[in-house]
Amino acid sequence: MASGVKPRVKVPKTASAGEAITIKTLISHKMESGQRKDKEGNVIPRSIINRFTCDFNGQNVISVTLEPAISTNPYVEFEATVPEAGEFKFTWYDDDGSVYDTAKSVAIG
Amino acid sequence: MKRTQLKTLGSTVAMLALVAGSASADEEANLVVNEEIEMVVRTDAPAHVENLSTIYSGWVFRSDETQALQMDDFDNPGMIFVDQAAERWAEVEGKNGKSCASCHGDVEEGMKGVRAVYPKWVESAGEVRTLEMQINDCRTNAMDAEPWKYTSGSMTNMVALISVQSRGMPVNVAIDGPAEMMWEQGKELYYTRTGQLELSCANCHEDNYGNLIRADHLSQGQINGFPTYRLKNAKLNSVHARFKGCVRDTRAETFSPGSEDFVALELYVASRGNGLSVEGPSVRN
């Protein structure tokens, strides 16, 4: 597992039914592209978050493929319509096989 | 801009009328972080700053997009590094088995208002100290741990964590008493031209703030927002690293970060921002 990886998300605590809310996500990750070389000239192996998904009550909201050119600490912001109270589940997939996830509940009100 | 210099606009009345709408809106922009902490980004210059009437935070000179990044902690990439330092705060290091928290307790209580008064004269040490020097003093004496390199990531992140506890408080650096000699030394350095380009700090940051330097607007060089997250290198930058960059850009041999010259300069430059809010970590390009 890459060091210092920490997922963060910002979701409103409440929304009205059918409302489109803005969701902000950020994961601290070095996103090593695999193109760089160290001082001795050896290639630094690629290590990136390659996929990000968000599900709401089991239904997929967004699924993103991330490429090596995406900079460090990838930030993804998107809108989602909330039909009912429930839970957003966020998942990031690392090149090294690690999976990071976090969840946030939204109430209707 | 941001702060297009009004005196240049004033020369063409017709042009002024065209630009006035957007320019004045920018002039009025205010910084409120998390819809909670109101920052002072422009205020009357302190009496000891002879050549400026108003002092401006570097935030005022940045583009709308960059400004917006600092208005919410989630959007501010500098907060990632603050989180990292918060973990370090409670981490036991060194032979004495202590962490920062062992002596200073909760960082929110223990470090409140600290950033606003540094650099300051430390009586027990008999010298003017920056926050970095104070942190390393804790590490070597109280914790018996390895000191951090002056501009290293660990150091700058810790300074940022300490700055956060003073956000919104006015910078209030003492320039009288035992600190005065160091302050005078810093002032002299500020107005001394260096390098092949023969530029002093004042040539850019006092005479030309608001004007373009290549594609960028010069700020007044205030350091109330340090440590600063720079979009160009995606990390927090310390005051002395910035000083070093500036002096290097005049094509001079630079002073070393942590050297007496830079400590004096930091004291002087910090005092020029007395009255602005502590913003660290700020976001700049």
Side-chain angles (χ1 to χ4, degrees), chain B residues 109-120:
Chain B
E109 287 303 313
M111 290 293 125
K112 197 176 173 71
V114 171
R115 171 78 249 187
V117 296
Y118 268 86
K120 73 166 186 183

Side-chain angles (χ1 to χ4, degrees), chain A residues 4 6 8-10 24-28 72-73 75 77, chain B residues 34 72-75 77 79-81 83-84 87 229 234:
Chain A
K6 187 178 166 192
R8 299 140 218 261
V9 292
K10 191 176 182 183
K24 296 173 176 179
T25 73
L26 186 153
I27 186 162
S28 47
T72 181
N73 306 332
Y75 173 95
E77 181 180 327
Chain B
N34 299 336
D72 186 291
D73 279 353
F74 194 89
D75 296 339
M79 295 311 284
I80 295 170
F81 301 94
D83 282 355
Q84 287 172 7
E87 283 167 22
Y229 179 88

Side-chain angles (χ1 to χ4, degrees), chain B residues 108-142:
Chain B
E108 283 172 30
E109 287 303 313
M111 290 293 125
K112 197 176 173 71
V114 171
R115 171 78 249 187
V117 296
Y118 268 86
K120 73 166 186 183
W121 175 266
V122 179
E123 193 58 52
S124 57
E127 62 177 353
V128 171
R129 280 194 174 165
T130 60
L131 259 183
E132 282 93 339
M133 292 161 81
Q134 204 61 33
I135 290 170
N136 263 348
D137 181 70
C138 277
R139 288 186 64 81
T140 49
N141 294 329

Side-chain angles (χ1 to χ4, degrees), chain B residues 80-265:
Chain B
I80 295 170
F81 301 94
V82 171
D83 282 355
Q84 287 172 7
E87 283 167 22
R88 277 314 256 294
W89 182 261
E91 197 178 298
V92 174
E93 270 186 88
K95 296 194 185 102
N96 293 348
K98 282 184 179 175
S99 69
C100 305
S102 312
C103 297
H104 298 287
D106 189 29
V107 67
E108 283 172 30
E109 287 303 313
M111 290 293 125
K112 197 176 173 71
V114 171
R115 171 78 249 187
V117 296
Y118 268 86
K120 73 166 186 183
W121 175 266
V122 179
E123 193 58 52
S124 57
E127 62 177 353
V128 171
R129 280 194 174 165
T130 60
L131 259 183
E132 282 93 339
M133 292 161 81
Q134 204 61 33
I135 290 170
N136 263 348
D137 181 70
C138 277
R139 288 186 64 81
T140 49
N141 294 329
M143 296 165 73
D144 202 1
E146 284 293 307
W148 281 327
K149 199 167 156 279
Y150 198 89
T151 55
S152 62
S154 302
M155 176 65 90
T156 310
N157 297 353
M158 187 55 75
V159 174
L161 174 69
I162 294 169
S163 295
V164 167
Q165 318 310 329
S166 303
R167 279 199 302 181
M169 298 169 78
V171 176
N172 185 20
V173 173
I175 62 168
D176 49 2
E180 194 176 346
M181 255 178 62
M182 202 72 165
W183 184 82
E184 292 288 351
Q185 189 187 339
K187 184 176 180 184
E188 181 160 339
L189 200 52
Y190 190 88
Y191 287 102
T192 303
R193 291 171 183 265
T194 61
Q196 290 178 320
L197 298 184
E198 293 191 54
L199 291 168
S200 74
C201 308
N203 291 136
C204 286
H205 297 292
E206 197 167 271
D207 304 340
N208 280 297
Y209 67 87
N211 290 339
L212 283 166
I213 182 164
R214 296 172 66 179
D216 224 351
H217 284 104
L218 276 166
S219 74
Q220 283 186 343
Q222 299 288 2
I223 56 170
N224 59 311
F226 275 83
T228 288
Y229 179 88
R230 296 193 68 189
L231 300 170
K232 74 171 239 178
N233 60 12
K235 68 182 180 84
L236 287 177
N237 296 265
S238 70
V239 176
H240 287 205
R242 178 66 266 193
F243 283 168
K244 188 178 164 189
C246 267
V247 178
R248 182 206 57 213
D249 290 350
T250 71
R251 301 189 190 165
E253 285 282 340
T254 75
F255 304 102
S256 310
S259 65
E260 193 191 308
D261 300 277
F262 270 173
V263 174
L265 187 60

Side-chain angles (χ1 to χ4, degrees), chain A residues 1-35:
Chain A
M1 184 178 130
S3 63
V5 180
K6 187 178 166 192
R8 299 140 218 261
V9 292
K10 191 176 182 183
V11 180
K13 286 195 178 66
T14 57
S16 45
E19 185 189 352
I21 58 168
T22 301
I23 295 172
K24 296 173 176 179
T25 73
L26 186 153
I27 186 162
S28 47
H29 193 280
K30 59 187 187 314
M31 295 293 276
E32 189 59 58
S33 70
Q35 305 284 338

Side-chain angles (χ1 to χ4, degrees), chain A residues 65-81:
Chain A
T65 305
L66 298 157
E67 303 288 351
I70 290 173
S71 63
T72 181
N73 306 332
Y75 173 95
V76 181
E77 181 180 327
F78 55 94
E79 287 190 345
T81 312

